[in-house]
CSV table of all heavy atoms in Angstrom, one decimal:
chain,number,residue,atom,x,y,z
A,51,LEU,N,183.5,233.5,-15.4
A,51,LEU,CA,183.6,233.2,-16.8
A,51,LEU,C,182.3,233.0,-17.5
A,51,LEU,O,181.3,232.6,-16.8
A,51,LEU,CB,184.4,231.8,-16.9
A,51,LEU,CG,185.8,231.8,-16.3
A,51,LEU,CD1,186.4,230.4,-16.3
A,51,LEU,CD2,186.7,232.8,-17.0
A,52,GLN,N,182.3,233.3,-18.7
A,52,GLN,CA,181.1,233.1,-19.5
A,52,GLN,C,181.2,231.8,-20.3
A,52,GLN,O,182.2,231.5,-20.9
A,52,GLN,CB,180.8,234.2,-20.5
A,52,GLN,CG,179.6,234.1,-21.3
A,52,GLN,CD,179.3,235.4,-22.1
A,52,GLN,OE1,179.7,236.4,-21.8
A,52,GLN,NE2,178.5,235.2,-23.1
A,53,VAL,N,180.1,231.0,-20.2
A,53,VAL,CA,180.0,229.7,-20.9
A,53,VAL,C,179.8,230.0,-22.4
A,53,VAL,O,179.0,230.8,-22.8
A,53,VAL,CB,178.9,228.8,-20.4
A,53,VAL,CG1,178.8,227.5,-21.2
A,53,VAL,CG2,179.1,228.5,-18.9
A,54,GLN,N,180.5,229.3,-23.3
A,54,GLN,CA,180.3,229.4,-24.7
A,54,GLN,C,180.1,228.0,-25.2
A,54,GLN,O,180.9,227.1,-25.0
A,54,GLN,CB,181.5,230.0,-25.4
A,54,GLN,CG,181.7,231.4,-25.0
A,54,GLN,CD,183.0,232.0,-25.6
A,54,GLN,OE1,183.8,231.3,-26.2
A,54,GLN,NE2,183.2,233.3,-25.4
A,55,GLY,N,179.0,227.7,-26.0
A,55,GLY,CA,178.7,226.4,-26.5
A,55,GLY,C,177.7,225.6,-25.7
A,55,GLY,O,177.3,226.1,-24.6
A,56,ASP,N,177.4,224.5,-26.2
A,56,ASP,CA,176.3,223.7,-25.6
A,56,ASP,C,176.8,222.4,-25.0
A,56,ASP,O,176.1,221.5,-24.7
A,56,ASP,CB,175.3,223.3,-26.7
A,56,ASP,CG,174.6,224.5,-27.3
A,56,ASP,OD1,174.5,225.5,-26.5
A,56,ASP,OD2,174.2,224.5,-28.5
A,57,SER,N,178.1,222.2,-24.8
A,57,SER,CA,178.7,221.0,-24.3
A,57,SER,C,178.2,220.6,-22.9
A,57,SER,O,178.3,219.5,-22.5
A,57,SER,CB,180.2,221.0,-24.3
A,57,SER,OG,180.7,221.9,-23.4
A,58,MET,N,177.7,221.6,-22.1
A,58,MET,CA,177.3,221.3,-20.7
A,58,MET,C,175.8,221.4,-20.5
A,58,MET,O,175.3,221.4,-19.4
A,58,MET,CB,178.0,222.3,-19.8
A,58,MET,CG,179.5,222.0,-19.6
A,58,MET,SD,179.9,220.3,-19.1
A,58,MET,CE,179.3,220.3,-17.4
A,59,LEU,N,175.1,221.4,-21.6
A,59,LEU,CA,173.6,221.4,-21.5
A,59,LEU,C,173.2,220.1,-20.9
A,59,LEU,O,173.8,219.0,-21.2
A,59,LEU,CB,172.9,221.5,-22.9
A,59,LEU,CG,172.9,222.9,-23.5
A,59,LEU,CD1,172.4,222.9,-24.9
A,59,LEU,CD2,172.1,223.9,-22.7
A,60,PRO,N,172.2,220.0,-20.1
A,60,PRO,CA,171.2,221.0,-19.7
A,60,PRO,C,171.7,221.9,-18.5
A,60,PRO,O,171.0,222.8,-18.1
A,60,PRO,CB,170.0,220.3,-19.4
A,60,PRO,CG,170.5,219.0,-18.8
A,60,PRO,CD,171.8,218.7,-19.6
A,61,HIS,N,172.8,221.5,-17.9
A,61,HIS,CA,173.2,222.2,-16.6
A,61,HIS,C,173.7,223.6,-16.8
A,61,HIS,O,173.5,224.5,-16.0
A,61,HIS,CB,174.2,221.4,-15.9
A,61,HIS,CG,173.6,220.1,-15.4
A,61,HIS,ND1,173.7,218.9,-16.1
A,61,HIS,CD2,172.7,219.8,-14.4
A,61,HIS,CE1,173.0,218.0,-15.5
A,61,HIS,NE2,172.4,218.5,-14.5
A,62,LEU,N,174.5,223.8,-17.9
A,62,LEU,CA,175.0,225.2,-18.2
A,62,LEU,C,174.7,225.4,-19.7
A,62,LEU,O,175.0,224.6,-20.5
A,62,LEU,CB,176.5,225.2,-18.0
A,62,LEU,CG,177.1,225.1,-16.6
A,62,LEU,CD1,178.6,225.0,-16.6
A,62,LEU,CD2,176.6,226.2,-15.7
A,63,ALA,N,174.1,226.6,-19.9
A,63,ALA,CA,173.8,227.0,-21.3
A,63,ALA,C,174.8,228.0,-21.8
A,63,ALA,O,175.4,228.7,-21.0
A,63,ALA,CB,172.4,227.6,-21.3
A,64,SER,N,174.9,228.2,-23.1
A,64,SER,CA,175.8,229.2,-23.6
A,64,SER,C,175.3,230.5,-23.1
A,64,SER,O,174.1,230.8,-23.0
A,64,SER,CB,175.7,229.1,-25.2
A,64,SER,OG,176.6,230.0,-25.7
A,65,GLU,N,176.3,231.4,-22.8
A,65,GLU,CA,176.1,232.7,-22.2
A,65,GLU,C,175.8,232.7,-20.7
A,65,GLU,O,175.7,233.8,-20.1
A,65,GLU,CB,175.0,233.5,-22.9
A,65,GLU,CG,175.4,233.8,-24.4
A,65,GLU,CD,174.4,234.6,-25.1
A,65,GLU,OE1,173.6,235.4,-24.4
A,65,GLU,OE2,174.4,234.5,-26.3
A,66,ASP,N,175.6,231.5,-20.0
A,66,ASP,CA,175.5,231.5,-18.6
A,66,ASP,C,176.9,231.9,-18.1
A,66,ASP,O,177.9,231.9,-18.8
A,66,ASP,CB,175.3,230.1,-18.0
A,66,ASP,CG,173.8,229.7,-18.2
A,66,ASP,OD1,173.0,230.5,-18.5
A,66,ASP,OD2,173.5,228.5,-17.9
A,67,ARG,N,177.0,232.4,-16.9
A,67,ARG,CA,178.2,232.8,-16.2
A,67,ARG,C,178.4,231.9,-15.0
A,67,ARG,O,177.5,231.5,-14.3
A,67,ARG,CB,178.3,234.2,-15.8
A,67,ARG,CG,178.3,235.1,-17.1
A,67,ARG,CD,178.7,236.5,-16.8
A,67,ARG,NE,179.0,237.2,-18.0
A,67,ARG,CZ,178.2,238.0,-18.6
A,67,ARG,NH1,177.0,238.3,-18.0
A,67,ARG,NH2,178.6,238.6,-19.7
A,68,ILE,N,179.7,231.5,-14.8
A,68,ILE,CA,180.0,230.7,-13.6
A,68,ILE,C,181.1,231.4,-12.8
A,68,ILE,O,182.0,232.0,-13.4
A,68,ILE,CB,180.5,229.2,-14.0
A,68,ILE,CG1,181.7,229.3,-15.0
A,68,ILE,CG2,179.3,228.5,-14.6
A,68,ILE,CD1,182.3,227.9,-15.2
A,69,LEU,N,181.0,231.2,-11.5
A,69,LEU,CA,182.0,231.7,-10.6
A,69,LEU,C,182.9,230.5,-10.3
A,69,LEU,O,182.5,229.4,-9.9
A,69,LEU,CB,181.4,232.2,-9.3
A,69,LEU,CG,182.4,232.9,-8.4
A,69,LEU,CD1,183.0,234.2,-9.0
A,69,LEU,CD2,181.7,233.2,-7.1
Side-chain angles (χ1 to χ4, degrees):
L51 301 174
Q52 183 171 338
V53 176
Q54 296 176 354
D56 296 330
S57 70
M58 291 302 292
L59 283 174
H61 296 97
L62 295 174
S64 190
E65 297 182 24
D66 283 352
R67 291 198 167 101
I68 58 171
L69 186 65

